[in-house]
Amino acid sequence: MIDPELIKKDFPLLAASASDGRDLVYLDSAATSHKPWPVLDAMSDFYARNNANVHRAAYDLGRRATEMYEASRDAVAAFIGAPARDEIVFTKNTTEALNIVAGALAWADAPYRLESGDQILVTEMEHHSNLIPWRLLAERTGARLCHLGITDGGRLDLSRLAEQITPRTKVIAVGHASNSLGTINPIGPIAERAAQVGALVVVDAAQSVPHVGIDVGTLGADFVAFSGHKMCGPTGIGVLWGRTELLEALPPFLSGGSTIESISMDDLVFAAPPYKFEAGTPPIAEAVGLGAAIGYLRDIGLDDITDHTRALTEYALQELAEVPGTRLVGPSGAVDRGPVISFVLDDVPVERVRTALDQAGVAVRSGNHCAQLACLRFGVPATVRASFYLYNTPADIDVLSSELRTIAPRTPRTVRQTTGKEPVM
Ligand code: PMP
């Protein structure tokens, strides 16, 4: 069990009261999490005592910087159960990690080259970062972009998996946890069917690694992408995990300094992975910060964090169900869902809800959350999204629900969970 009131003290921005004396109720960790002192200290200590470029300086400071950068790679590898440290590629964020895979496949030789008539499968609940790179890849190669739909209950529709994943399917790009609906998707059955037809499975784990964690040894994916800034780490650092044989076989999407072993006017030999994918000076202090974030999450215990945010989600679902006119967009239960709740209030535009909450010191997000297909599926242009992390308390949710009660219309409709079949607002 974790004590979020104690944990809040580790986060300077949350510990400090707002200038008007009210505490900030931060319910937007799905967008980015706050950073605890150990992360801030690790980064400032790096700059104050160990700053140098990595992999090139033959002097003590440079060696220390390189050791710290590479120690973070070890920390990431251990955190996600990677069989080899060289399978961890540092990127700018999830988006860049996914583009590295899609870009590599655009230029790949056989057997990874995509051809006209091949199929790329995404899902209707993808974040645009795991949708647009595949759409562009389809346009560039003549492949067809297809999708797995969403059920009325906000789950991935896997009922036609055997038909939808065919020998022409080359890539399946799926989000592990949806940032708009909250759904946690089962990767197992998708990976099993993918293995039967030889398709690559690319998992966007931006919303799962911070909350439920992953073990790439058992997940069944070929590539996994996530961002440091959603897991108490800094912005500017993300991770691409890929199977060694794939990282060895695929060409880099970005190239330049640090990516090559040797070059002449006639010849070019790329460095071994992960370096062939880490072009230019990498985000060194950010990698050090990510390593510290992983240490922080590990010290608290990811299982305890998962239990805490699941309990908060359950409580928030109960509380929101009591607010007149609230319509949930996503699964109704707290099982197999991350700490993300999207909803609309009947007859109240989402911007008005967000602005009213903002005025009450509650930070939530409104919009389509870069997952427009999911909004379209449920017939809503936008939702209000509340998301939780280790530093949130039941009291934060009480503030949210009591503020919503003041905004909610007086004559509610009765539908509690939207299926996309009834009109909204
Ligand atoms: N995928 C999902 C599911 C996300 O929630 C996000 C961030 N909202 C991203 C991808 C993109 O992450 P980043 O902006 O860090 O690249």
Side-chain angles (χ1 to χ4, degrees), residues 152 327 375-380 417-424:
D152 287 353
R327 188 115 41 101
C375 279
L376 285 175
R377 165 63 180 81
F378 287 103
V380 291
Q417 182 197 19
T418 192
T419 61
K421 303 226 166 79
E422 70 283 351
V424 173

Side-chain angles (χ1 to χ4, degrees), residues 30-31 93-96 127 129 177 179 204 206-207 227 229-230 365:
N93 47 34
T94 304
T95 306
E96 187 182 80
H127 187 283
S129 292
N179 70 309
D204 171 355
Q207 296 291 346
S227 297
H229 69 92
K230 294 182 198 283
R365 185 159 166 194

Side-chain angles (χ1 to χ4, degrees), residues 311-324 326 341 388 394-405 416:
L312 284 178
T313 307
E314 225 163 84
Y315 179 55
L317 286 169
Q318 277 167 24
E319 286 297 298
L320 290 193
E322 297 303 318
V323 176
T326 304
I341 298 179
F388 319 118
D396 292 340
I397 289 161
D398 292 340
V399 176
L400 171 70
S401 58
S402 80
E403 290 302 329
L404 285 175
R405 275 194 181 84
R416 282 279 173 236

Side-chain angles (χ1 to χ4, degrees), residues 45-72 284 288:
D45 181 70
F46 173 80
Y47 280 126
R49 288 179 231 280
N50 299 295
N51 179 53
N53 213 328
V54 291
H55 300 141
R56 47 194 82 163
Y59 46 84
D60 183 51
L61 193 60
R63 275 193 293 275
R64 284 209 310 270
T66 302
E67 274 166 22
M68 292 174 78
Y69 179 69
E70 292 299 332
S72 287
I284 307 167
V288 170

